[in-house]
């Protein structure tokens, strides 16, 4: 059919009521809906089935509820709840808000570990999530690295993304700007990561959150920031940067 296509609206054609049939019969064109018009203009664009649209909406609602629950737990409320919401492992929590840096150097995975002084760290429930737990190193207080563990980094993000990251890990497809190459970005300094953590309010108080991660060092790209704020770590494989804690700071 080589005839021109006319987009029809609820009011007729291009906003002119009651002329659709006359216009069609006069010019020999076909009258279509907006969706049909878009499909003809771009054959690759097709409407998703209604069941898939509904499923997407349900997943979005669950993600929002999960993020709210996560924030309530972080801010000291919302204890308990269904077990499938329990992403925390409280026995590994550590409050660094009153801990001072005494100059001691700590190492994890062969890299210096900069402890999150001034922040409260909530541990995520990650034991047994992956093929083994060696990437976490030996449990308990220590200064040096242990065999097979991965170094520690920090990733600042907005609170809306926290639920998905805590539950599923990082998603490389959501990245938009890759200044130093494609990958998941983090930094060994929580102070640098905090620059990328927007402040949010909960019950009249202001907070920001930063994820604490372990990063596989084998294919890790380390770059010096051109802004003079230290190192940035770029991990090209999303499964090789694993969040294991959420640090929260009251502003």
């Amino acid at each position: 059919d080589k005839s021109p296509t006319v987009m029809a609206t609820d009011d007729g054609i291009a906003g002119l009521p009651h002329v659709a049939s006359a216009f069609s019969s006069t010019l020999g064109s076909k009258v279509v809906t907006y969706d049909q018009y878009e499909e003809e203009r771009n054959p690759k664009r097709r409407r998703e089935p209604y069941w898939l649209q509904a499923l997407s909406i349900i997943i979005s609602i669950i993600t929002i509820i999960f993020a709210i629950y996560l924030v309530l737990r972080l801010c000291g409320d919302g204890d308990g709840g269904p077990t499938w919401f329990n992403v925390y492992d409280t026995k590994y929590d550590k409050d660094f808000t009153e801990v001072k840096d005494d100059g001691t150097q700590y190492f994890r995975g062969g890299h210096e570990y900069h402890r999150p002084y001034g922040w409260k760290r909530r541990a995520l429930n990650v034991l047994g999530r992956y093929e083994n737990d060696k990437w976490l190193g030996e449990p308990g207080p220590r200064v040096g690295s242990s065999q097979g563990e991965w170094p520690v980094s920090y990733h600042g993000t907005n609170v809306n993304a926290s639920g998905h990251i805590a539950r599923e890990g990082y998603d490389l497809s959501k990245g938009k700007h890759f200044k130093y190459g494609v990958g998941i970005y983090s930094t060994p300094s929580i102070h640098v990561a905090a620059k990328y953590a927007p402040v949010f309010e909960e019950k009249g108080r202001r907070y920001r959150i930063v994820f604490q991660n372990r990063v596989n060092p084998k294919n890790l790209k380390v770059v010096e920031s051109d802004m003079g704020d230290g190192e940035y770590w770029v991990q090209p494989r999303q499964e090789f940067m694993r969040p294991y804690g959420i640090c929260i700071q009251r502003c």
Side-chain angles (χ1 to χ4, degrees):
D1 189 350
K2 301 298 183 181
S3 58
T5 297
V6 180
M7 185 178 70
T9 68
D10 292 339
D11 297 325
I13 300 177
L16 301 178
H18 314 305
V19 297
S21 59
F23 193 89
S24 179
S25 60
T26 302
L27 297 183
S29 62
K30 54 184 178 182
V31 179
V32 299
T33 65
Y34 177 78
D35 289 331
Q36 291 171 328
Y37 171 76
E38 284 295 312
E39 287 185 3
E40 283 200 3
R41 191 177 66 168
N42 185 3
K44 294 183 179 180
R45 179 178 176 179
R46 294 286 186 263
R47 293 189 64 185
E48 294 179 338
Y50 288 115
W51 69 267
L52 192 57
Q53 296 180 44
L55 181 61
S56 178
I57 293 172
I58 292 172
I59 292 174
S60 298
I61 292 173
I62 292 175
T63 300
I64 293 171
I65 293 173
F66 188 86
I68 294 172
Y69 177 81
L70 196 73
V71 170
L72 289 174
R73 291 291 303 273
L74 277 171
C75 298
D77 299 317
D79 290 330
T83 55
W84 58 276
F85 260 12
N86 187 19
V87 294
Y88 296 113
D89 191 347
T90 56
K91 64 179 175 293
Y92 294 109
D93 289 351
K94 176 71 175 178
D95 191 348
F96 291 92
T97 53
E98 301 298 329
V99 180
K100 304 299 182 183
D101 185 357
D102 62 3
T104 302
Q105 284 187 299
Y106 297 85
F107 292 87
R108 297 292 183 270
H111 292 253
E112 186 173 359
Y113 165 42
H114 301 274
R115 305 174 92 192
Y117 296 117
W119 296 67
K120 183 177 181 180
R121 199 266 316 281
R122 297 295 302 272
L124 294 175
N125 187 13
V126 295
L127 289 175
R129 180 180 294 187
Y130 303 97
E131 66 280 0
N132 59 62
D133 296 324
K134 290 182 179 180
W135 58 279
L136 288 167
E138 297 176 2
R142 55 190 168 86
V143 173
S145 301
S146 65
Q147 187 175 6
E149 74 175 333
W150 295 359
V152 176
S153 74
Y154 300 94
H155 177 89
T157 189
N158 65 74
V159 69
N160 295 328
S162 61
H164 181 273
I165 295 174
R167 190 179 68 253
E168 304 291 342
Y170 293 100
D171 186 349
L172 186 57
S173 67
K174 296 184 182 298
K176 296 180 180 179
H177 306 289
F178 300 108
K179 186 174 183 179
Y180 302 111
V182 177
I184 305 295
Y185 282 53
S186 63
T187 169
S189 169
I190 195 170
H191 303 297
V192 176
K195 297 178 182 179
Y196 301 92
V199 174
F200 67 94
E201 290 192 12
E202 176 63 32
K203 294 186 176 181
R205 297 176 178 176
R206 292 160 58 85
Y207 301 92
R208 55 186 172 183
I209 63 172
V210 169
F211 277 88
Q212 189 177 42
N213 319 281
R214 294 298 186 112
V215 188
N216 191 328
K218 291 183 178 179
N219 57 344
L220 181 64
K221 180 181 179 182
V222 179
V223 296
E224 286 291 333
S225 168
D226 56 12
M227 296 180 290
D229 55 358
E231 292 181 352
Y232 283 85
W233 293 1
V234 183
Q235 175 51 258
R237 296 181 60 177
Q238 63 187 33
E239 67 271 22
F240 283 169
M241 191 167 96
R242 300 172 178 175
Y244 76 108
I246 303 179
C247 300
I248 183 167
Q249 183 184 63
R250 185 175 174 182
C251 303

